[in-house]
């Protein structure tokens, strides 16, 4: 038997990289086994080191709205690379990308580019604290805003998956400044804002890091009102939802304007980019316009700016892509409702546009307690069953599934067929 190259690479990786991966969610820690080491990707398909192909619903954890190796993005990156990969000096491309972001995202008047979503949230928090003169920050249980210390309190995504929602290494002082409320619970939020010591509320306007959990009707509007009433800034963390749930992100889709917005993933077209932006009076606090220090050797990198520009240009010129994504999502809604109706499995399907999650519980799933109510062992069997069917999902129930422009109706049929077969083994064919 030929030894699996995935296994060999994982063994080699573990010897020199903590846990063998450069971001914990990739390691299959919750579900066990060896992660496929990806050699190439095109459209909606991944190919691993053993030559096996998968239909991809991870999409690099969100950036791949246009699918892998989209020609417009690849062309722009190649062209940019030929002219130099980093200058540490301003470029026209950054201006172009900033103008696109300002045009597309309703509340952003000025934007600063960084290299990851984590940098974006950490910097936006600093601006909010400087603007308000307050230290506190409120986030939601199961919400994930990257790995800066202030946010690693009751965090979702890989932190929840690994069982370290409050990471060691975060000082008690830092953690004490972070307050946590239940997602979709305005009363809980009100109680925590009452003393006027919170600089900002950080919220994923569609939660995507406890699985996909939509905002309840009125939740985002209620947050806007509570923030206005208490002098607290409202920060939408749109690292995941930005350009995904609408061209202008969740703030466009739900019609609520935050004071600050954080972006990542799609804004970099698949290269490492993050951004934070908002009202001019707040953004002009950022150095060198103002005193709030924030910097980056590679920020505004030419390759990343080229990829981001190409992705956003394509999105702006092809708004019909959201109709395509909605149609695919609708096909899944119908298919999963049929499977549930036919077999009576306890399933909850949450979807907002092209982000979704299937929870293996009766539901409804509206917050962290309901999102985390499923049985770990059931998810493990589900995940490995789907992988054996050639369907690549996130190896954790606390992540969203992503659709891309490269997905087709027949891909949805393939996903639904795999789901029906796998769920039969998970729940027992007679359930
Ligand atoms: C909502 C949200 N905020 C922030 C982040 C942090 O982004 P990054 O992984 O690029 O640091 C992520 C993803 O990791 C995210 O989903
Ligand atoms: N859920 C995380 C971001 O959205 C997954 C990315 C990571 O932590 O590597």
């Amino acid at each position: 038997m030929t030894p699996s190259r995935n296994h060999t690479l994982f063994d080699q990786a573990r010897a020199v990289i903590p846990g063998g991966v450069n971001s914990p969610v990739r390691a299959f820690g919750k579900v066990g086994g060896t992660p496929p080491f990806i050699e190439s990707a095109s459209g909606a398909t991944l190919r691993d080191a053993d030559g096996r192909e998968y239909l991809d619903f991870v999409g690099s954890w969100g950036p791949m709205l246009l699918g892998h190796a989209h020609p417009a993005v690849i062309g722009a990156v190649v062209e940019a690379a030929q002219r130099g990969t980093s200058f540490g000096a301003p470029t026209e491309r950054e201006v172009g990308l900033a103008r696109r972001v300002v045009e597309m995202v309703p509340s952003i008047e000025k934007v600063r580019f960084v290299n990851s979503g984590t940098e974006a949230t950490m910097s936006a928090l600093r601006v909010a604290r400087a603007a308000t003169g307050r230290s506190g920050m409120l986030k939601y249980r199961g919400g994930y805003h990257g790995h800066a210390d202030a946010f690693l309190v009751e965090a979702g995504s890989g932190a929840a998956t690994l069982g370290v929602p409050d990471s060691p290494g975060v000082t008690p002082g830092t953690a004490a400044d972070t307050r946590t409320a239940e997602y979709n619970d305005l009363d809980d939020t009100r109680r925590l804002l009452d003393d006027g010591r919170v600089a900002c509320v950080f919220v994923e306007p569609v939660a995507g890091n406890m699985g996909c959990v939509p905002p309840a009707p009125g939740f985002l509007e209620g947050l806007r009102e509570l923030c206005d009433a208490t002098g607290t800034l409202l920060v939408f963390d749109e690292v995941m939802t930005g350009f995904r749930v609408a061209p202008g992100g969740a703030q466009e889709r739900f019609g609520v304007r935050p004071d600050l917005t954080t972006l990542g993933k799609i804004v970099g077209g698949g290269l490492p980019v993050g951004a934070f932006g908002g009202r001019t009076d707040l953004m002009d606090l950022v150095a060198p316009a103002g005193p709030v220090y924030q910097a980056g050797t590679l920020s505004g990198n030419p390759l990343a700016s080229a990829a981001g520009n190409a992705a956003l240009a394509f999105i702006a010129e092809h708004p019909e892509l959201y109709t395509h994504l909605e149609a695919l999502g609708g096909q899944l809604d119908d298919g999963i409702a049929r499977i549930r109706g036919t077999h009576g499995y306890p399933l909850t399907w949450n979807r907002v546009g092209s982000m979704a999650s299937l929870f293996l519980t009766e539901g409804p799933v509206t917050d962290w307690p309901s999102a985390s109510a499923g049985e770990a062992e059931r998810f493990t069997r589900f995940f490995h069953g789907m992988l054996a069917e050639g369907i690549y999902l996130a190896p954790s129930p606390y992540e969203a599934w992503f659709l891309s422009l490269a997905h087709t109706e027949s891909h949805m049929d393939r996903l639904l067929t795999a789901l029906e077969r796998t769920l039969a083994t998970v729940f027992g064919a007679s359930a």
Side-chain angles (χ1 to χ4, degrees):
M1 212 172 94
T2 325
S4 158
R5 185 122 181 84
N6 288 324
H7 286 300
T8 306
L9 286 171
F10 198 32
D11 284 345
Q12 290 175 357
R14 276 185 294 204
V16 287
I17 301 173
V21 290
N22 283 312
S23 193
V25 291
R26 302 176 192 172
F28 278 30
K30 189 158 181 99
V31 295
T34 299
F37 277 62
I38 304 304
E39 285 204 339
S40 64
S42 175
T45 306
L46 299 175
R47 190 181 169 84
D48 77 7
D50 288 331
R52 188 153 183 241
E53 292 198 339
Y54 305 87
L55 184 55
D56 180 26
F57 292 94
V58 177
S60 188
W61 310 88
M64 294 302 162
L65 182 75
L66 306 183
H68 293 283
H70 189 277
V73 176
I74 300 302
V77 172
V78 169
E79 196 268 330
Q82 283 162 344
R83 298 212 240 152
T85 56
S86 183
F87 316 122
T91 64
E92 189 173 347
R93 278 200 203 85
E94 293 159 80
V95 185
L97 184 56
R99 289 175 70 160
R100 282 197 192 284
V101 169
V102 168
E103 271 162 30
M104 292 172 81
V105 183
S107 71
I108 295 188
E109 294 168 356
K110 282 195 178 175
V111 61
R112 165 64 58 88
F113 293 109
V114 292
N115 301 291
S116 67
T118 296
E119 277 186 65
T121 56
M122 164 183 111
S123 308
L125 174 58
R126 190 177 303 138
V127 171
R129 285 176 164 158
T132 57
R134 301 174 179 181
S135 304
M137 185 265 289
L138 188 144
K139 70 176 281 289
Y140 291 89
R141 293 192 187 101
Y144 181 69
H145 306 286
H147 65 90
D149 285 4
F151 298 103
L152 289 182
V153 178
E154 299 197 72
S157 187
T161 307
L162 292 184
V164 287
D166 310 288
S167 174
V170 175
T171 64
T174 298
D177 282 333
T178 299
R179 303 177 182 191
T180 53
E182 216 63 83
Y183 195 72
N184 276 327
D185 188 337
L186 285 173
D187 290 337
D188 206 19
T189 306
R190 183 179 296 108
R191 186 178 60 78
L192 291 162
L193 295 185
D194 253 5
D195 65 3
R197 293 167 73 170
V198 173
C200 60
V201 170
F202 251 87
V203 66
E204 292 177 69
V206 177
N209 286 293
M210 48 176 135
C212 174
V213 178
F219 178 59
L220 298 176
E221 293 83 349
L223 288 186
R224 182 67 276 174
E225 281 166 24
L226 284 177
C227 284
D228 288 344
T230 53
T232 311
L233 296 178
L234 179 59
V235 187
F236 275 7
D237 182 352
E238 298 232 40
V239 167
M240 195 181 276
T241 53
F243 314 102
R244 176 164 287 282
V245 299
Q251 54 197 269
E252 176 186 331
R253 188 169 180 124
F254 296 101
V256 176
R257 267 176 110 87
D259 301 294
L260 289 167
T261 300
T262 53
L263 298 169
K265 302 190 192 274
I266 293 170
V267 77
L271 271 79
V273 184
F276 63 102
R279 294 194 334 246
T280 297
D281 63 311
L282 295 173
M283 290 307 291
D284 277 349
L285 293 173
V286 177
V292 178
Y293 201 69
Q294 191 285 325
T297 303
L298 289 169
S299 293
N301 172 266
L303 303 196
S305 300
N309 252 317
L312 297 199
F314 188 93
I315 291 168
E317 285 153 24
H318 297 86
E320 72 281 2
L321 83 87
Y322 294 91
T323 316
H324 171 71
L325 293 169
E326 200 55 53
L328 297 181
Q331 195 182 338
L332 294 182
D333 297 347
D334 294 347
I336 290 169
R338 183 192 60 71
I339 293 172
R340 198 189 144 106
T342 305
H343 302 285
Y345 302 142
L347 298 175
T348 302
W349 173 241
N350 282 353
R351 180 178 74 82
V352 179
S354 58
M355 55 188 280
S357 287
L358 183 68
F359 295 89
L360 307 181
T361 54
E362 204 60 66
V365 176
T366 57
D367 54 15
W368 174 244
S370 48
S372 56
E375 286 172 33
E377 190 270 336
R378 186 179 273 178
F379 178 82
T380 295
R381 280 190 287 137
F382 170 72
F383 170 79
H384 280 294
M386 293 298 281
L387 196 64
E389 294 274 356
I391 305 289
Y392 189 75
L393 300 174
S396 163
Y398 310 136
E399 301 289 351
W401 304 5
F402 296 109
L403 302 177
S404 80
L405 179 64
H407 285 113
T408 62
E409 266 182 46
S410 74
H411 289 146
M412 298 305 107
D413 286 339
R414 213 176 119 194
L415 173 64
L416 289 166
T417 304
L419 270 178
E420 192 155 19
R421 278 204 288 255
T422 304
L423 289 169
T425 65
V426 169
F427 289 113
S430 60

